[in-house]
Amino acid sequence: MPGGAAADPGSQALDAGGAERLLATMWRIRAFEERLEPLKRSSMVHGLTHLSIGQEAVAAGVCTQLRDDEPVYSNHRANGHALAKGVDMGRLLAELMGRADGCCRGLGGSMHVVDVAHGFLGATGVVGGNLPFAVGSALASRLLGRERPAVVFFGDGAAQTGIFAETVNLASLWQVPVVFVCENNGFAEFTPRSAHTRVERVSDLAAPFRVAARTVDGNDVAEVHRVFADALTQARAGGGPFLLECLTHRLSGHYVGDPGGYRAAVEDEAWRARDPIGRLVRQADAAGWFDVERSRAAEEAARDEVEAAVAFALGSPFPDPGIPAELTYAR
Ligand SMILES: Cc1ncc(C[n+]2csc(CCOP(=O)(O)OP(=O)(O)O)c2C)c(N)n1
Ligand SMILES: [Mg+2]
């Protein structure tokens, strides 16, 4: 399958090849989720479906730089993180459709996707609940004698939980290799950040714990890639934790079917002009790397891959009803 995480891409400055890879990854996420929405509306997909359309630059800029054994802890808005980390698209869709060939045999669904082989250690429905997992993973690697960074994605809403402060404090105290990646889309469900707090920037919450932090334009994949590359290099070298805040925007509801009453005040049109895919194409054109034709080809390849994933998932049976008991109890 094209795109996704590489075995050992390292962290280097963006070049034409790297930019093409980010473009392909963003198109794969966009095409997948645009197809997922009608599948969810026609009840082919089970459980809540949280789309990340408009936020693809964060997943792509971060996950494509990680090795398979550098784990990612995702949240409820997990499709982009999973695809960019290398989870097979067909197996991901089969999981969301509750099919036996899903990456968790169809028993988990969208908020419990796990793929150990690719270091995708999971979506979770517990807002903020993934933060300590990442610190525990980074601590475990330290105890085993290596600095293996863990990355955790969380939203601006998760930054308001108590466990966020506890986790950042311990990461700082122990100086473990963890990169906290905040996707600040300005909303937690239907509530704007301004209704939760007077602290506008999540990166400001790191300073009291003496954790280095940066806020970047989360719709500029080149900038996300560049700053995350530095954080990753620091973490791999034993330099301790880092918090990367990516300012972004989800172009659709909190979940598919969100009535959206609050969206009248949301500036979708202004954000559409800052669409991360179009921006990368303009940057690549200016750098002489590729133009919009390359983007169209990447889009077409992504849409073909999605159709193959749909056929794969639809061809997969539902799990044997006896399986949950078999997996729950030890013999
Ligand atoms: C512990 C917990 N509290 C509340 C919820 C309900 N909930 C689900 S998503 C969400 C908002 C999360 O916002 P944010 O972290 O900013 O992520 P975003 O949805 O914007 O990507 C909330 C409150 C939950 N799932 N878990
Ligand atoms: Mg949010």
Side-chain angles (χ1 to χ4, degrees):
M1 294 264 182
D8 187 3
S11 58
Q12 64 261 345
L14 199 58
D15 57 13
E20 280 208 42
R21 192 174 154 73
L22 293 174
L23 178 76
T25 305
M26 290 196 292
W27 266 124
R28 292 176 72 239
I29 300 169
R30 176 77 52 97
F32 180 81
E33 292 199 327
E34 285 183 351
R35 188 72 172 87
L36 192 58
E37 177 161 2
L39 287 170
K40 169 64 190 169
R41 289 192 189 276
S42 60
S43 302
M44 299 300 286
V45 167
H46 308 289
L48 278 180
T49 299
H50 303 93
L51 304 180
S52 62
I53 294 172
Q55 301 189 181
E56 297 90 346
V58 185
V62 167
C63 293
T64 54
Q65 302 194 60
L66 295 169
R67 300 173 185 139
D68 281 345
D69 69 347
E70 292 173 330
V72 156
Y73 294 84
S74 177
N75 58 5
H76 53 287
R77 206 173 295 288
N79 300 316
H81 308 151
L83 290 171
K85 191 67 170 68
V87 178
D88 178 84
M89 191 183 283
R91 295 197 65 208
L92 174 63
L93 186 58
E95 185 59 39
L96 306 187
M97 292 170 78
R99 306 295 177 122
D101 292 299
C103 29
C104 298
R105 303 196 207 186
L107 302 175
S110 77
M111 284 185 277
H112 305 96
V113 173
V114 172
D115 180 353
V116 176
H118 291 99
F120 185 74
L121 294 190
T124 176
V126 182
V127 169
N130 55 354
L131 292 155
F133 292 170
V135 171
S137 164
L139 177 63
S141 86
R142 161 81 46 82
L143 296 174
L144 291 170
R146 45 179 300 220
E147 292 295 302
R148 189 193 64 184
V151 174
V152 56
F153 288 100
F154 65 106
D156 45 302
Q160 296 306 106
T161 62
I163 204 165
F164 168 79
E166 294 175 25
T167 305
V168 175
N169 181 57
L170 286 178
S172 173
L173 185 67
W174 296 332
Q175 286 293 291
V176 287
V178 60
V179 186
F180 299 98
V181 180
C182 180
E183 293 174 292
N184 185 349
N185 59 17
F187 275 84
E189 293 187 322
F190 323 118
T191 312
R193 183 159 174 81
S194 57
H196 288 181
T197 178
R198 292 179 63 204
V199 182
E200 204 180 326
R201 294 280 176 261
V202 172
S203 59
D204 286 343
L205 301 174
F209 299 104
R210 302 181 59 195
V211 168
R214 277 277 301 277
T215 297
V216 300
D217 181 339
N219 279 29
D220 181 343
V221 72
E223 188 178 352
V224 173
H225 184 278
R226 186 172 59 249
V227 178
F228 180 74
D230 290 344
L232 188 59
T233 302
Q234 170 186 308
R236 284 175 178 161
F242 190 89
L243 190 150
L244 173 61
E245 177 186 24
C246 304
L247 302 179
T248 186
H249 179 76
R250 61 170 158 76
L251 283 167
S252 54
H254 171 57
Y255 57 87
V256 175
D258 163 359
Y262 64 100
R263 291 193 73 83
V266 175
E267 295 170 330
D268 282 335
E269 282 320 306
W271 281 96
R272 264 182 229 286
R274 302 171 62 195
D275 184 288
I277 297 179
R279 275 176 86 179
L280 176 62
V281 174
R282 288 195 293 279
Q283 289 164 346
D285 209 356
W289 290 341
F290 54 78
D291 62 12
V292 71
E293 282 310 316
R294 185 72 203 84
S295 179
R296 289 202 186 102
E299 176 181 359
E300 204 177 305
R303 296 204 190 277
D304 287 350
E305 187 186 356
V306 172
E307 288 316 312
V310 172
F312 172 81
L314 286 174
S316 175
F318 287 105
D320 181 331
I323 286 226
E326 203 180 293
L327 295 175
T328 305
Y329 301 106
R331 286 182 195 280

